[in-house]
Amino acid sequence: MNIKAIAEGLCKKYDTRNPFDLVASLGIVIIYEPLGDIQGYYNTCYKQRFIHINQDLDGYAAAFTCAHELAHAVLHPGVNTPFLRKHTLFSVDKIETQANRFALEVLYDDLELSHLLREPISSAAAYLGVDTRLAEYRMSTISL
C-alpha cells in the first residue's frame, strides 16, 4: 500500500491539506464529544461515515486526530479497531501505524519539511509533534 500516493492523491484532488476540509469533501460527518482519554475514532452507521474527535483537543492535536481518523476511512473502511482490540488477538499496530503515516503525509507537504533534512531527526520529531520513529518515516518519504 503506497500511503504517500493515496494521501497526495486525495490532497491534490480536493486542493487542500486541511484534514477537516478533506473530511467535509468526502461527506464524512465530524462529531466533537467528550471522549475521556480517547482522542478520536471512526465509524459508520447506515452507510454514513463519522469521525468522532475528543472535544478537549484543539489546534494540532485535533487536526492530527482528524487526519488519522480520515486515514481509517480511506485505508481501512471496514476495519473496527476497537472491536479487534477487545474481542480478538489481532494486532492493530500495523493499522494504527499506517493511519499515523497517512496523517503526516496529509498534514505536511514535502517542501515544507525539506529544511529539516539537514537537521537531527529529533528536530523533525519536535517539528512534527511525533516520536522519532514516525518522524524518520516521514522524512524518508520526502521527494523534491
Side-chain angles (χ1 to χ4, degrees), residues 23-134:
V23 165
S25 295
L26 293 171
I28 301 171
V29 175
I30 296 177
I31 300 172
Y32 296 92
E33 58 191 323
L35 296 175
D37 293 338
I38 298 170
Q39 291 182 312
Y41 66 95
Y42 165 76
N43 77 314
T44 60
C45 185
Y46 300 109
K47 297 184 182 180
Q48 176 60 58
R49 298 181 296 172
F50 298 93
I51 289 177
H52 303 258
I53 298 176
N54 190 321
Q55 68 187 15
D56 296 330
L57 299 180
D58 59 1
Y60 180 73
F64 187 89
T65 299
C66 184
H68 175 98
E69 299 307 331
L70 172 60
H72 290 305
V74 172
L75 304 176
H76 319 117
V79 177
N80 183 334
T81 54
F83 176 85
L84 290 174
R85 273 193 191 105
K86 187 172 182 176
H87 300 289
T88 74
L89 297 175
F90 184 82
S91 173
V92 297
D93 292 347
K94 181 178 178 180
I95 293 167
E96 294 302 328
T97 297
Q98 288 175 342
N100 285 336
R101 289 176 172 184
F102 181 93
L104 289 179
E105 296 291 355
V106 165
L107 292 170
Y108 296 100
D109 180 84
D110 286 354
L111 190 57
E112 178 183 353
L113 300 178
S114 63
H115 73 281
L116 293 168
L117 289 170
R118 300 177 301 276
E119 301 293 327
I121 198 63
S122 59
S123 296
Y127 184 86
L128 297 168
V130 297
D131 63 42
T132 55
R133 214 173 77 232
L134 197 50

Side-chain angles (χ1 to χ4, degrees), residues 15-27:
D15 193 29
T16 185
R17 290 194 168 280
N18 182 317
F20 300 101
D21 292 343
L22 291 171
V23 165
S25 295
L26 293 171

